Amino acid sequence: MDTCNASTSPTAEGRLSERLVAAGLAGLILPFVQFGWLLLVAALSDTSHCGHFGCVGQLADAWTVGNWVAVALAWPLLHLLRVRPAWSVAVLAPFFLVPIWELADVPISVVAGLFAYPLAALVSAPRLSWRRRSLALALFLLLCAFLALSSG
C-alpha cells in the first residue's frame, strides 16, 4: 500500500512546476499588454492640452490604468496557458502585485508579475500543504519588507 500522498507524488510536483512556469509566463506577457495600452493611449491622446512637461502625467495615468487592464486580462491569459484553476490565480495575484507596485520603482514594478503570478499559483495550488503556503507567504512578506526598507 502506497503511503505517499498526492501532494508529494512526482506527477503532482510536475503539475505544480508546470503551473508555476505557466503563471510566470503570464507575468512576463502582461507587461507587454501594459505597454500596448500605453502606446494606444499615447497615439489617441490630444497633445495640444499637455502641460509644461508634455504628456508625462497623462502617460503615468495611462500606465496605472494599464496595470488594472493587465490584471483584468490575466484570467483569460492564464486559462489560455492552461493554469487550472485560472480564476484563483487571477484573483490572488493583485494581492501580491499591489504591494510591489507601491513599494518598488518602475523597473521592478514592470516585472512584478514574474513574482506575483507564480506566487499566486503556488498559494492557490490544489493539494499544497499549509506549511508550504505559509513559507511562500513569509518569503513574500520578507520581499515587501526589503522593498520598503530599501526605498527609504
Side-chain angles (χ1 to χ4, degrees):
M1 180 181 210
D2 186 16
T3 59
C4 182
N5 64 16
S7 65
T8 60
S9 70
T11 57
E13 292 293 326
R15 278 184 263 144
L16 179 61
S17 63
E18 289 172 8
R19 177 182 171 90
L20 296 178
V21 169
L25 184 59
L28 183 66
I29 292 170
L30 288 170
F32 291 104
V33 171
Q34 287 177 267
F35 284 123
W37 173 261
L38 193 63
L39 290 174
L40 179 67
V41 168
L44 296 178
S45 67
D46 181 19
T47 57
S48 65
H49 292 79
C50 293
H52 179 67
F53 293 105
C55 294
V56 174
Q58 227 177 9
L59 292 177
D61 290 343
W63 181 258
T64 303
V65 171
N67 283 339
W68 295 106
V69 168
V71 166
L73 293 176
W75 179 82
L77 180 60
L78 289 163
H79 188 73
L80 182 69
L81 293 171
R82 299 183 189 268
V83 175
R84 302 291 190 264
W87 67 268
S88 61
V89 178
V91 167
L92 283 175
F95 291 102
F96 301 115
L97 283 169
V98 171
I100 296 173
W101 289 340
E102 293 297 320
L103 294 172
D105 54 355
V106 172
I108 293 175
S109 66
V110 169
V111 296
L114 287 174
F115 300 106
Y117 286 97
L119 189 57
L122 182 66
V123 171
S124 67
R127 294 184 230 101
L128 190 68
S129 71
W130 283 103
R131 194 172 110 208
R132 286 187 179 180
R133 291 174 207 255
S134 299
L135 178 63
L137 292 173
L139 290 174
F140 176 73
L141 290 175
L142 282 174
L143 172 67
C144 288
F146 172 77
L147 289 173
L149 292 174
S150 67
S151 67

